[in-house]
Every structure is written in structure tokens, then in C-alpha cells.
Amino acid sequence: MPTPDAAGFLPLHPLEFRILLVLRQGTSWGSRIVAEIEARERSRVTLYPANLYRRVRDLSSRGLIAEAETPPGGDPRRGYMVITPLGARVLSLEAERLQGLVAEAAAEGLLSDA
């Protein structure tokens, strides 16, 4: 089976991008992903479990994340997730795409210097 073209997954939904960013740091689980995203967003976003798990299911079905074995010392009741190599490529391409959009906005004077 041919390797999917990572660019074909773009653009990512902002929540999918955030989930992949968290999983790039290593294996994680639902409530920890939520806590990490909310901490990064500094209370600008509230992430509900139903929304998270819908996005997790979508990312998994597209092969961007996968179930992981319980790490040593981990709680076997949790569902652990890991980013796949394809997911890492998609994340990188999406970051580059967003960087280009920000550069365009800056060139139009839409960003403050702060």
C-alpha cells in the first residue's frame, strides 16, 4: 500500500493540530492532553471530552495517531496514544503552512510588535 501524501491531510482543524503537538512530546492520554492544551491556551479555550475524543477518533482513523501500550508505571485503565510518523510529517507541514499565513499577515501590517 502506498504511503499517503502528508499534504493531503491539510489543513488540520486547530484542535487536531494541538493534539498532535502534545503527542509530539511523547505518549499521552485523554485528560493529560486536555490539561496540556488548556495550559498552553491560558484559559482561552475549554476543551470538552466529547470534542477531544471525536478528534482523537478522526486522527486515529486517518493514521495520524495510534494506540500505544501502557508505559512502565502507567495506569492500565487509560487509553494511551502516540503520534505516528505520518502524523509527525503532517504536523510539520501544517506548522509550515501556518507560518506562511502569519508571514502574510505580518506583511500586511496586521500583527503588533508586542
Side-chain angles (χ1 to χ4, degrees):
M1 183 167 150
T3 305
D5 178 22
F9 292 92
L10 302 183
L12 287 175
H13 183 278
L15 179 52
E16 292 174 339
F17 183 76
R18 290 178 175 106
I19 292 168
L20 292 175
L21 277 177
V22 171
L23 291 177
R24 186 174 179 270
Q25 297 175 352
T27 302
S28 196
W29 65 94
S31 60
R32 184 167 178 230
I33 292 171
V34 168
E36 179 68 26
I37 290 171
E38 288 179 345
R40 288 178 181 196
E41 291 297 316
R42 296 181 191 93
S43 302
R44 291 183 305 226
V45 66
T46 299
L47 184 51
Y48 298 101
N51 196 11
L52 171 76
Y53 287 107
R54 182 178 70 241
R55 295 296 172 180
V56 163
R57 186 177 57 248
D58 291 346
L59 290 167
S60 179
S61 71
R62 295 184 319 205
L64 304 181
I65 65 173
E67 288 185 33
E69 290 187 22
T70 302
D75 185 341
R77 296 172 294 178
R78 290 188 175 127
Y80 291 90
M81 296 164 263
V82 64
I83 192 170
T84 64
L86 175 60
R89 286 194 306 274
V90 170
L91 178 63
S92 180
L93 287 175
E94 179 69 348
E96 290 174 12
R97 185 187 76 80
L98 293 171
Q99 184 178 36
L101 290 174
V102 169
E104 288 179 35
E108 292 294 323
L110 295 173
L111 302 178
S112 66
D113 291 335

mmCIF file of all heavy atoms in Angstrom, residues 27-29 68-76 80:
data_model
loop_
_atom_site.group_PDB
_atom_site.id
_atom_site.type_symbol
_atom_site.label_atom_id
_atom_site.label_comp_id
_atom_site.label_asym_id
_atom_site.label_seq_id
_atom_site.Cartn_x
_atom_site.Cartn_y
_atom_site.Cartn_z
ATOM 1 N N THR A 27 4.087 9.759 24.435
ATOM 2 C CA THR A 27 2.837 9.055 24.708
ATOM 3 C C THR A 27 2.026 9.806 25.753
ATOM 4 O O THR A 27 2.575 10.304 26.737
ATOM 5 C CB THR A 27 3.148 7.628 25.200
ATOM 6 O OG1 THR A 27 3.925 6.973 24.199
ATOM 7 C CG2 THR A 27 1.889 6.838 25.460
ATOM 8 N N SER A 28 0.714 9.890 25.533
ATOM 9 C CA SER A 28 -0.151 10.595 26.476
ATOM 10 C C SER A 28 -1.536 9.963 26.457
ATOM 11 O O SER A 28 -1.792 9.018 25.724
ATOM 12 C CB SER A 28 -0.229 12.083 26.123
ATOM 13 O OG SER A 28 -0.749 12.828 27.202
ATOM 14 N N TRP A 29 -2.421 10.510 27.274
ATOM 15 C CA TRP A 29 -3.804 10.026 27.364
ATOM 16 C C TRP A 29 -4.738 11.221 27.423
ATOM 17 O O TRP A 29 -4.295 12.365 27.573
ATOM 18 C CB TRP A 29 -3.978 9.115 28.580
ATOM 19 C CG TRP A 29 -3.786 9.803 29.899
ATOM 20 C CD1 TRP A 29 -4.755 10.362 30.683
ATOM 21 C CD2 TRP A 29 -2.559 10.022 30.591
ATOM 22 N NE1 TRP A 29 -4.207 10.914 31.803
ATOM 23 C CE2 TRP A 29 -2.850 10.714 31.784
ATOM 24 C CE3 TRP A 29 -1.219 9.713 30.320
ATOM 25 C CZ2 TRP A 29 -1.868 11.098 32.696
ATOM 26 C CZ3 TRP A 29 -0.249 10.098 31.233
ATOM 27 C CH2 TRP A 29 -0.588 10.775 32.403
ATOM 28 N N ALA A 68 -1.195 3.244 21.972
ATOM 29 C CA ALA A 68 0.129 2.867 22.462
ATOM 30 C C ALA A 68 -0.023 1.930 23.644
ATOM 31 O O ALA A 68 -1.049 1.946 24.332
ATOM 32 C CB ALA A 68 0.904 4.122 22.881
ATOM 33 N N GLU A 69 0.988 1.138 23.864
ATOM 34 C CA GLU A 69 0.978 0.267 25.032
ATOM 35 C C GLU A 69 1.126 1.119 26.282
ATOM 36 O O GLU A 69 1.682 2.217 26.247
ATOM 37 C CB GLU A 69 2.124 -0.730 24.949
ATOM 38 C CG GLU A 69 1.926 -1.762 23.857
ATOM 39 C CD GLU A 69 2.987 -2.839 23.914
ATOM 40 O OE1 GLU A 69 3.606 -3.038 24.984
ATOM 41 O OE2 GLU A 69 3.175 -3.492 22.891
ATOM 42 N N THR A 70 0.633 0.598 27.388
ATOM 43 C CA THR A 70 0.768 1.294 28.664
ATOM 44 C C THR A 70 2.253 1.389 29.002
ATOM 45 O O THR A 70 2.948 0.369 29.041
ATOM 46 C CB THR A 70 0.024 0.532 29.779
ATOM 47 O OG1 THR A 70 -1.346 0.409 29.403
ATOM 48 C CG2 THR A 70 0.138 1.255 31.111
ATOM 49 N N PRO A 71 2.748 2.593 29.214
ATOM 50 C CA PRO A 71 4.172 2.738 29.534
ATOM 51 C C PRO A 71 4.475 2.203 30.938
ATOM 52 O O PRO A 71 3.560 2.074 31.770
ATOM 53 C CB PRO A 71 4.404 4.253 29.453
ATOM 54 C CG PRO A 71 3.062 4.872 29.621
ATOM 55 C CD PRO A 71 2.056 3.880 29.135
ATOM 56 N N PRO A 72 5.731 1.894 31.224
ATOM 57 C CA PRO A 72 6.088 1.437 32.571
ATOM 58 C C PRO A 72 5.631 2.451 33.617
ATOM 59 O O PRO A 72 5.855 3.654 33.466
ATOM 60 C CB PRO A 72 7.615 1.351 32.532
ATOM 61 C CG PRO A 72 7.953 1.210 31.079
ATOM 62 C CD PRO A 72 6.883 1.959 30.339
ATOM 63 N N GLY A 73 4.935 1.974 34.622
ATOM 64 C CA GLY A 73 4.421 2.855 35.665
ATOM 65 C C GLY A 73 3.116 3.531 35.304
ATOM 66 O O GLY A 73 2.560 4.270 36.105
ATOM 67 N N GLY A 74 2.618 3.300 34.092
ATOM 68 C CA GLY A 74 1.368 3.916 33.653
ATOM 69 C C GLY A 74 0.158 3.185 34.198
ATOM 70 O O GLY A 74 0.247 2.052 34.671
ATOM 71 N N ASP A 75 -0.970 3.834 34.122
ATOM 72 C CA ASP A 75 -2.228 3.270 34.586
ATOM 73 C C ASP A 75 -2.848 2.455 33.449
ATOM 74 O O ASP A 75 -3.202 3.020 32.411
ATOM 75 C CB ASP A 75 -3.170 4.397 35.003
ATOM 76 C CG ASP A 75 -4.468 3.933 35.624
ATOM 77 O OD1 ASP A 75 -4.835 2.752 35.418
ATOM 78 O OD2 ASP A 75 -5.126 4.735 36.300
ATOM 79 N N PRO A 76 -3.002 1.133 33.624
ATOM 80 C CA PRO A 76 -3.536 0.307 32.536
ATOM 81 C C PRO A 76 -4.991 0.610 32.176
ATOM 82 O O PRO A 76 -5.480 0.164 31.150
ATOM 83 C CB PRO A 76 -3.382 -1.125 33.065
ATOM 84 C CG PRO A 76 -3.275 -0.991 34.538
ATOM 85 C CD PRO A 76 -2.673 0.363 34.808
ATOM 86 N N TYR A 80 -3.768 5.050 26.078
ATOM 87 C CA TYR A 80 -2.599 5.841 25.691
ATOM 88 C C TYR A 80 -2.539 5.991 24.183
ATOM 89 O O TYR A 80 -2.933 5.097 23.436
ATOM 90 C CB TYR A 80 -1.321 5.188 26.220
ATOM 91 C CG TYR A 80 -1.215 5.265 27.715
ATOM 92 C CD1 TYR A 80 -1.731 4.268 28.529
ATOM 93 C CD2 TYR A 80 -0.630 6.362 28.324
ATOM 94 C CE1 TYR A 80 -1.658 4.347 29.908
ATOM 95 C CE2 TYR A 80 -0.539 6.454 29.703
ATOM 96 C CZ TYR A 80 -1.057 5.437 30.491
ATOM 97 O OH TYR A 80 -0.983 5.528 31.852
#
